[in-house]
PDB file of all heavy atoms in Angstrom:
ATOM      1  N   SER A 275      12.955   6.386  -2.235  1.00 94.00           N
ATOM      2  CA  SER A 275      11.931   5.636  -3.114  1.00 94.00           C
ATOM      3  C   SER A 275      10.535   5.767  -2.436  1.00 94.00           C
ATOM      4  O   SER A 275      10.326   6.489  -1.493  1.00 94.00           O
ATOM      5  CB  SER A 275      12.262   4.115  -3.127  1.00 94.00           C
ATOM      6  OG  SER A 275      12.170   3.667  -1.821  1.00 94.00           O
ATOM      7  N   MET A 276       9.484   5.283  -3.209  1.00 94.00           N
ATOM      8  CA  MET A 276       8.116   5.397  -2.601  1.00 94.00           C
ATOM      9  C   MET A 276       7.297   4.227  -3.057  1.00 94.00           C
ATOM     10  O   MET A 276       7.573   3.485  -4.159  1.00 94.00           O
ATOM     11  CB  MET A 276       7.500   6.673  -3.137  1.00 94.00           C
ATOM     12  CG  MET A 276       7.388   6.776  -4.597  1.00 94.00           C
ATOM     13  SD  MET A 276       6.754   8.485  -5.010  1.00 94.00           S
ATOM     14  CE  MET A 276       6.996   8.510  -6.872  1.00 94.00           C
ATOM     15  N   TRP A 277       6.275   3.897  -2.238  1.00 95.00           N
ATOM     16  CA  TRP A 277       5.330   2.902  -2.517  1.00 95.00           C
ATOM     17  C   TRP A 277       4.054   3.556  -2.796  1.00 95.00           C
ATOM     18  O   TRP A 277       3.611   4.511  -1.982  1.00 95.00           O
ATOM     19  CB  TRP A 277       5.216   1.923  -1.379  1.00 95.00           C
ATOM     20  CG  TRP A 277       6.306   0.880  -1.177  1.00 95.00           C
ATOM     21  CD1 TRP A 277       7.588   1.150  -0.861  1.00 95.00           C
ATOM     22  CD2 TRP A 277       6.190  -0.556  -1.233  1.00 95.00           C
ATOM     23  NE1 TRP A 277       8.261  -0.012  -0.710  1.00 95.00           N
ATOM     24  CE2 TRP A 277       7.482  -0.986  -1.026  1.00 95.00           C
ATOM     25  CE3 TRP A 277       5.127  -1.460  -1.571  1.00 95.00           C
ATOM     26  CZ2 TRP A 277       7.733  -2.437  -0.879  1.00 95.00           C
ATOM     27  CZ3 TRP A 277       5.386  -2.704  -1.540  1.00 95.00           C
ATOM     28  CH2 TRP A 277       6.664  -3.251  -1.278  1.00 95.00           C
ATOM     29  N   ILE A 278       3.369   3.163  -3.872  1.00 96.00           N
ATOM     30  CA  ILE A 278       2.044   3.673  -4.223  1.00 96.00           C
ATOM     31  C   ILE A 278       1.123   2.589  -4.025  1.00 96.00           C
ATOM     32  O   ILE A 278       1.125   1.500  -4.670  1.00 96.00           O
ATOM     33  CB  ILE A 278       1.894   4.227  -5.671  1.00 96.00           C
ATOM     34  CG1 ILE A 278       3.166   5.235  -5.882  1.00 96.00           C
ATOM     35  CG2 ILE A 278       0.621   4.975  -5.936  1.00 96.00           C
ATOM     36  CD1 ILE A 278       3.396   5.595  -7.279  1.00 96.00           C
ATOM     37  N   ILE A 279       0.092   2.680  -3.059  1.00 95.00           N
ATOM     38  CA  ILE A 279      -0.750   1.591  -2.636  1.00 95.00           C
ATOM     39  C   ILE A 279      -2.103   1.976  -2.725  1.00 95.00           C
ATOM     40  O   ILE A 279      -2.472   3.182  -2.340  1.00 95.00           O
ATOM     41  CB  ILE A 279      -0.407   1.146  -1.166  1.00 95.00           C
ATOM     42  CG1 ILE A 279       1.035   0.591  -1.160  1.00 95.00           C
ATOM     43  CG2 ILE A 279      -1.328   0.114  -0.650  1.00 95.00           C
ATOM     44  CD1 ILE A 279       1.520   0.466   0.312  1.00 95.00           C
ATOM     45  N   THR A 280      -3.048   1.028  -3.169  1.00 93.00           N
ATOM     46  CA  THR A 280      -4.455   1.290  -3.067  1.00 93.00           C
ATOM     47  C   THR A 280      -5.066   0.835  -1.724  1.00 93.00           C
ATOM     48  O   THR A 280      -4.688  -0.220  -1.227  1.00 93.00           O
ATOM     49  CB  THR A 280      -5.231   0.542  -4.242  1.00 93.00           C
ATOM     50  OG1 THR A 280      -6.600   0.780  -4.089  1.00 93.00           O
ATOM     51  CG2 THR A 280      -4.857  -1.003  -4.200  1.00 93.00           C
ATOM     52  N   GLY A 281      -5.885   1.730  -1.222  1.00 90.00           N
ATOM     53  CA  GLY A 281      -6.645   1.506   0.010  1.00 90.00           C
ATOM     54  C   GLY A 281      -7.832   0.575  -0.134  1.00 90.00           C
ATOM     55  O   GLY A 281      -8.364   0.132   0.860  1.00 90.00           O
ATOM     56  N   THR A 282      -8.224   0.495  -1.422  1.00 85.00           N
ATOM     57  CA  THR A 282      -9.411  -0.298  -1.681  1.00 85.00           C
ATOM     58  C   THR A 282      -9.252  -1.225  -2.997  1.00 85.00           C
ATOM     59  O   THR A 282      -9.313  -0.666  -3.940  1.00 85.00           O
ATOM     60  CB  THR A 282     -10.569   0.649  -1.890  1.00 85.00           C
ATOM     61  OG1 THR A 282     -10.697   1.550  -0.836  1.00 85.00           O
ATOM     62  CG2 THR A 282     -11.903  -0.126  -2.037  1.00 85.00           C
ATOM     63  N   LYS A 283      -8.899  -2.403  -2.736  1.00 85.00           N
ATOM     64  CA  LYS A 283      -8.742  -3.394  -3.770  1.00 85.00           C
ATOM     65  C   LYS A 283     -10.186  -3.807  -4.399  1.00 85.00           C
ATOM     66  O   LYS A 283     -11.241  -3.286  -3.923  1.00 85.00           O
ATOM     67  CB  LYS A 283      -8.063  -4.677  -3.296  1.00 85.00           C
ATOM     68  CG  LYS A 283      -6.585  -4.403  -2.846  1.00 85.00           C
ATOM     69  CD  LYS A 283      -5.970  -5.685  -2.762  1.00 85.00           C
ATOM     70  CE  LYS A 283      -6.519  -6.837  -1.890  1.00 85.00           C
ATOM     71  NZ  LYS A 283      -5.779  -8.117  -1.759  1.00 85.00           N
ATOM     72  N   LYS A 284     -10.106  -4.531  -5.437  1.00 82.00           N
ATOM     73  CA  LYS A 284     -11.380  -4.990  -6.034  1.00 82.00           C
ATOM     74  C   LYS A 284     -12.307  -5.523  -5.162  1.00 82.00           C
ATOM     75  O   LYS A 284     -13.664  -5.403  -5.224  1.00 82.00           O
ATOM     76  CB  LYS A 284     -11.101  -5.999  -7.207  1.00 82.00           C
ATOM     77  CG  LYS A 284     -12.292  -6.342  -7.955  1.00 82.00           C
ATOM     78  CD  LYS A 284     -11.822  -7.229  -9.119  1.00 82.00           C
ATOM     79  CE  LYS A 284     -13.008  -7.570 -10.043  1.00 82.00           C
ATOM     80  NZ  LYS A 284     -12.627  -8.530 -11.234  1.00 82.00           N
ATOM     81  N   ASP A 285     -11.922  -6.343  -4.073  1.00 85.00           N
ATOM     82  CA  ASP A 285     -12.797  -6.956  -3.075  1.00 85.00           C
ATOM     83  C   ASP A 285     -13.070  -6.074  -1.847  1.00 85.00           C
ATOM     84  O   ASP A 285     -13.638  -6.448  -0.922  1.00 85.00           O
ATOM     85  CB  ASP A 285     -12.203  -8.263  -2.589  1.00 85.00           C
ATOM     86  CG  ASP A 285     -10.757  -8.124  -1.843  1.00 85.00           C
ATOM     87  OD1 ASP A 285     -10.373  -6.969  -1.677  1.00 85.00           O
ATOM     88  OD2 ASP A 285     -10.314  -9.086  -1.459  1.00 85.00           O
ATOM     89  N   GLY A 286     -12.536  -4.758  -1.952  1.00 84.00           N
ATOM     90  CA  GLY A 286     -12.776  -3.838  -0.890  1.00 84.00           C
ATOM     91  C   GLY A 286     -11.860  -3.740   0.304  1.00 84.00           C
ATOM     92  O   GLY A 286     -11.867  -2.921   1.077  1.00 84.00           O
ATOM     93  N   SER A 287     -10.943  -4.644   0.223  1.00 88.00           N
ATOM     94  CA  SER A 287      -9.876  -4.687   1.237  1.00 88.00           C
ATOM     95  C   SER A 287      -8.686  -3.793   0.954  1.00 88.00           C
ATOM     96  O   SER A 287      -8.438  -3.326  -0.190  1.00 88.00           O
ATOM     97  CB  SER A 287      -9.367  -6.166   1.432  1.00 88.00           C
ATOM     98  OG  SER A 287      -8.664  -6.538   0.312  1.00 88.00           O
ATOM     99  N   LEU A 288      -7.992  -3.530   2.001  1.00 90.00           N
ATOM    100  CA  LEU A 288      -6.679  -2.878   1.971  1.00 90.00           C
ATOM    101  C   LEU A 288      -5.568  -3.596   1.340  1.00 90.00           C
ATOM    102  O   LEU A 288      -5.376  -4.754   1.767  1.00 90.00           O
ATOM    103  CB  LEU A 288      -6.288  -2.165   3.378  1.00 90.00           C
ATOM    104  CG  LEU A 288      -4.928  -1.520   3.517  1.00 90.00           C
ATOM    105  CD1 LEU A 288      -5.023  -0.275   2.760  1.00 90.00           C
ATOM    106  CD2 LEU A 288      -4.663  -1.432   4.995  1.00 90.00           C
ATOM    107  N   SER A 289      -4.664  -3.068   0.478  1.00 90.00           N
ATOM    108  CA  SER A 289      -3.695  -3.857  -0.138  1.00 90.00           C
ATOM    109  C   SER A 289      -2.733  -4.362   0.907  1.00 90.00           C
ATOM    110  O   SER A 289      -2.307  -3.675   1.845  1.00 90.00           O
ATOM    111  CB  SER A 289      -2.829  -3.017  -1.119  1.00 90.00           C
ATOM    112  OG  SER A 289      -1.793  -3.756  -1.549  1.00 90.00           O
ATOM    113  N   LYS A 290      -2.436  -5.735   0.837  1.00 91.00           N
ATOM    114  CA  LYS A 290      -1.383  -6.252   1.775  1.00 91.00           C
ATOM    115  C   LYS A 290       0.004  -5.750   1.600  1.00 91.00           C
ATOM    116  O   LYS A 290       0.902  -5.982   2.416  1.00 91.00           O
ATOM    117  CB  LYS A 290      -1.448  -7.786   1.583  1.00 91.00           C
ATOM    118  CG  LYS A 290      -2.725  -8.380   2.095  1.00 91.00           C
ATOM    119  CD  LYS A 290      -2.634  -9.856   1.940  1.00 91.00           C
ATOM    120  CE  LYS A 290      -4.025 -10.543   2.368  1.00 91.00           C
ATOM    121  NZ  LYS A 290      -4.075 -12.009   2.159  1.00 91.00           N
ATOM    122  N   ASP A 291       0.276  -5.024   0.389  1.00 92.00           N
ATOM    123  CA  ASP A 291       1.575  -4.387   0.140  1.00 92.00           C
ATOM    124  C   ASP A 291       1.926  -3.520   1.168  1.00 92.00           C
ATOM    125  O   ASP A 291       3.080  -3.172   1.425  1.00 92.00           O
ATOM    126  CB  ASP A 291       1.574  -3.834  -1.230  1.00 92.00           C
ATOM    127  CG  ASP A 291       1.629  -4.788  -2.384  1.00 92.00           C
ATOM    128  OD1 ASP A 291       1.797  -5.982  -2.070  1.00 92.00           O
ATOM    129  OD2 ASP A 291       1.435  -4.385  -3.525  1.00 92.00           O
ATOM    130  N   LEU A 292       0.963  -2.922   1.925  1.00 94.00           N
ATOM    131  CA  LEU A 292       1.378  -2.009   3.029  1.00 94.00           C
ATOM    132  C   LEU A 292       2.230  -2.541   4.058  1.00 94.00           C
ATOM    133  O   LEU A 292       3.240  -1.877   4.522  1.00 94.00           O
ATOM    134  CB  LEU A 292       0.097  -1.405   3.596  1.00 94.00           C
ATOM    135  CG  LEU A 292       0.332  -0.274   4.798  1.00 94.00           C
ATOM    136  CD1 LEU A 292       1.066   0.840   4.193  1.00 94.00           C
ATOM    137  CD2 LEU A 292      -1.062   0.078   5.409  1.00 94.00           C
ATOM    138  N   ARG A 293       1.992  -3.732   4.482  1.00 92.00           N
ATOM    139  CA  ARG A 293       2.861  -4.455   5.419  1.00 92.00           C
ATOM    140  C   ARG A 293       4.195  -4.590   4.979  1.00 92.00           C
ATOM    141  O   ARG A 293       5.205  -4.634   5.727  1.00 92.00           O
ATOM    142  CB  ARG A 293       2.184  -5.819   5.811  1.00 92.00           C
ATOM    143  CG  ARG A 293       0.989  -5.605   6.454  1.00 92.00           C
ATOM    144  CD  ARG A 293       0.316  -7.043   7.047  1.00 92.00           C
ATOM    145  NE  ARG A 293      -1.080  -6.821   7.543  1.00 92.00           N
ATOM    146  CZ  ARG A 293      -1.240  -6.374   8.826  1.00 92.00           C
ATOM    147  NH1 ARG A 293      -0.197  -6.153   9.687  1.00 92.00           N
ATOM    148  NH2 ARG A 293      -2.542  -6.292   9.284  1.00 92.00           N
ATOM    149  N   CYS A 294       4.442  -4.690   3.621  1.00 92.00           N
ATOM    150  CA  CYS A 294       5.808  -4.804   3.021  1.00 92.00           C
ATOM    151  C   CYS A 294       6.298  -3.443   3.056  1.00 92.00           C
ATOM    152  O   CYS A 294       7.661  -3.257   3.352  1.00 92.00           O
ATOM    153  CB  CYS A 294       5.715  -5.395   1.609  1.00 92.00           C
ATOM    154  SG  CYS A 294       5.142  -7.045   1.611  1.00 92.00           S
ATOM    155  N   ALA A 295       5.594  -2.418   2.679  1.00 93.00           N
ATOM    156  CA  ALA A 295       6.173  -1.106   2.415  1.00 93.00           C
ATOM    157  C   ALA A 295       6.674  -0.554   3.768  1.00 93.00           C
ATOM    158  O   ALA A 295       7.641   0.205   3.679  1.00 93.00           O
ATOM    159  CB  ALA A 295       4.967  -0.157   2.058  1.00 93.00           C
ATOM    160  N   ILE A 296       6.014  -0.849   4.825  1.00 92.00           N
ATOM    161  CA  ILE A 296       6.507  -0.212   6.161  1.00 92.00           C
ATOM    162  C   ILE A 296       7.827  -0.746   6.651  1.00 92.00           C
ATOM    163  O   ILE A 296       8.370  -0.245   7.594  1.00 92.00           O
ATOM    164  CB  ILE A 296       5.318  -0.317   7.207  1.00 92.00           C
ATOM    165  CG1 ILE A 296       5.183  -1.843   7.593  1.00 92.00           C
ATOM    166  CG2 ILE A 296       4.111   0.318   6.782  1.00 92.00           C
ATOM    167  CD1 ILE A 296       4.223  -2.036   8.861  1.00 92.00           C
ATOM    168  N   ASN A 297       8.213  -1.851   5.935  1.00 89.00           N
ATOM    169  CA  ASN A 297       9.615  -2.404   6.196  1.00 89.00           C
ATOM    170  C   ASN A 297      10.708  -1.646   5.600  1.00 89.00           C
ATOM    171  O   ASN A 297      11.842  -2.117   5.761  1.00 89.00           O
ATOM    172  CB  ASN A 297       9.626  -3.913   5.993  1.00 89.00           C
ATOM    173  CG  ASN A 297       8.763  -4.665   7.013  1.00 89.00           C
ATOM    174  OD1 ASN A 297       8.752  -4.353   8.174  1.00 89.00           O
ATOM    175  ND2 ASN A 297       8.020  -5.665   6.471  1.00 89.00           N
ATOM    176  N   SER A 298      10.307  -0.676   4.774  1.00 90.00           N
ATOM    177  CA  SER A 298      11.431  -0.021   4.087  1.00 90.00           C
ATOM    178  C   SER A 298      11.414   1.497   4.561  1.00 90.00           C
ATOM    179  O   SER A 298      10.628   1.898   5.345  1.00 90.00           O
ATOM    180  CB  SER A 298      11.120  -0.056   2.518  1.00 90.00           C
ATOM    181  OG  SER A 298       9.897   0.816   2.146  1.00 90.00           O
ATOM    182  N   SER A 299      12.388   2.223   4.000  1.00 90.00           N
ATOM    183  CA  SER A 299      12.468   3.643   4.289  1.00 90.00           C
ATOM    184  C   SER A 299      11.686   4.546   3.322  1.00 90.00           C
ATOM    185  O   SER A 299      11.791   5.790   3.300  1.00 90.00           O
ATOM    186  CB  SER A 299      13.922   4.237   4.264  1.00 90.00           C
ATOM    187  OG  SER A 299      14.495   3.961   3.102  1.00 90.00           O
ATOM    188  N   ALA A 300      10.972   3.827   2.411  1.00 94.00           N
ATOM    189  CA  ALA A 300      10.195   4.529   1.278  1.00 94.00           C
ATOM    190  C   ALA A 300       9.046   5.439   1.742  1.00 94.00           C
ATOM    191  O   ALA A 300       8.425   5.047   2.903  1.00 94.00           O
ATOM    192  CB  ALA A 300       9.670   3.501   0.289  1.00 94.00           C
ATOM    193  N   THR A 301       8.816   6.378   1.040  1.00 96.00           N
ATOM    194  CA  THR A 301       7.523   7.182   1.276  1.00 96.00           C
ATOM    195  C   THR A 301       6.381   6.263   0.957  1.00 96.00           C
ATOM    196  O   THR A 301       6.411   5.656  -0.160  1.00 96.00           O
ATOM    197  CB  THR A 301       7.517   8.479   0.435  1.00 96.00           C
ATOM    198  OG1 THR A 301       8.668   9.213   0.854  1.00 96.00           O
ATOM    199  CG2 THR A 301       6.258   9.216   0.715  1.00 96.00           C
ATOM    200  N   VAL A 302       5.231   6.205   1.722  1.00 97.00           N
ATOM    201  CA  VAL A 302       4.180   5.531   1.345  1.00 97.00           C
ATOM    202  C   VAL A 302       2.941   6.373   0.944  1.00 97.00           C
ATOM    203  O   VAL A 302       2.659   7.288   1.804  1.00 97.00           O
ATOM    204  CB  VAL A 302       3.644   4.623   2.565  1.00 97.00           C
ATOM    205  CG1 VAL A 302       2.421   3.805   2.313  1.00 97.00           C
ATOM    206  CG2 VAL A 302       4.773   3.616   2.867  1.00 97.00           C
ATOM    207  N   VAL A 303       2.486   6.200  -0.186  1.00 97.00           N
ATOM    208  CA  VAL A 303       1.405   7.066  -0.659  1.00 97.00           C
ATOM    209  C   VAL A 303       0.041   6.087  -0.869  1.00 97.00           C
ATOM    210  O   VAL A 303       0.219   5.101  -1.416  1.00 97.00           O
ATOM    211  CB  VAL A 303       1.621   7.792  -1.925  1.00 97.00           C
ATOM    212  CG1 VAL A 303       0.465   8.562  -2.413  1.00 97.00           C
ATOM    213  CG2 VAL A 303       2.863   8.546  -1.830  1.00 97.00           C
ATOM    214  N   ILE A 304      -0.961   6.339  -0.180  1.00 96.00           N
ATOM    215  CA  ILE A 304      -2.050   5.593  -0.174  1.00 96.00           C
ATOM    216  C   ILE A 304      -3.364   6.257  -0.836  1.00 96.00           C
ATOM    217  O   ILE A 304      -3.726   7.335  -0.411  1.00 96.00           O
ATOM    218  CB  ILE A 304      -2.501   5.012   1.303  1.00 96.00           C
ATOM    219  CG1 ILE A 304      -1.387   4.394   1.979  1.00 96.00           C
ATOM    220  CG2 ILE A 304      -3.751   4.106   1.130  1.00 96.00           C
ATOM    221  CD1 ILE A 304      -1.621   3.952   3.316  1.00 96.00           C
ATOM    222  N   TYR A 305      -3.817   5.750  -1.949  1.00 95.00           N
ATOM    223  CA  TYR A 305      -4.967   6.183  -2.540  1.00 95.00           C
ATOM    224  C   TYR A 305      -6.182   5.449  -2.071  1.00 95.00           C
ATOM    225  O   TYR A 305      -6.134   4.260  -1.638  1.00 95.00           O
ATOM    226  CB  TYR A 305      -4.935   5.806  -4.109  1.00 95.00           C
ATOM    227  CG  TYR A 305      -3.994   6.751  -4.890  1.00 95.00           C
ATOM    228  CD1 TYR A 305      -2.632   6.549  -4.873  1.00 95.00           C
ATOM    229  CD2 TYR A 305      -4.560   7.636  -6.036  1.00 95.00           C
ATOM    230  CE1 TYR A 305      -1.793   7.418  -5.673  1.00 95.00           C
ATOM    231  CE2 TYR A 305      -3.704   8.389  -6.790  1.00 95.00           C
ATOM    232  CZ  TYR A 305      -2.305   8.270  -6.601  1.00 95.00           C
ATOM    233  OH  TYR A 305      -1.499   9.028  -7.389  1.00 95.00           O
ATOM    234  N   MET A 306      -7.336   6.148  -2.082  1.00 92.00           N
ATOM    235  CA  MET A 306      -8.541   5.594  -1.641  1.00 92.00           C
ATOM    236  C   MET A 306      -8.616   4.773  -0.309  1.00 92.00           C
ATOM    237  O   MET A 306      -9.066   3.681  -0.247  1.00 92.00           O
ATOM    238  CB  MET A 306      -9.033   4.519  -2.818  1.00 92.00           C
ATOM    239  CG  MET A 306      -9.206   5.177  -4.250  1.00 92.00           C
ATOM    240  SD  MET A 306      -9.563   4.021  -5.590  1.00 92.00           S
ATOM    241  CE  MET A 306      -7.971   3.311  -5.819  1.00 92.00           C
TER     242      MET A 306
END
């Protein structure tokens, strides 16, 4: 599986989903 995550949310911060994604074996893809 994979997680697709934005590195820059509307407020300029990194998505908190990354902390969830690293707990899986999924490929993590980060845009921006």
Side-chain angles (χ1 to χ4, degrees):
S275 60
M276 56 185 171
W277 285 65
I278 307 166
I279 296 171
T280 177
T282 308
K283 296 197 304 179
K284 186 176 182 179
D285 63 3
S287 66
L288 174 68
S289 173
K290 292 180 180 179
D291 284 352
L292 180 59
R293 296 186 183 275
C294 299
I296 63 176
N297 291 318
S298 72
S299 61
T301 302
V302 175
V303 181
I304 304 174
Y305 283 71
M306 301 173 288

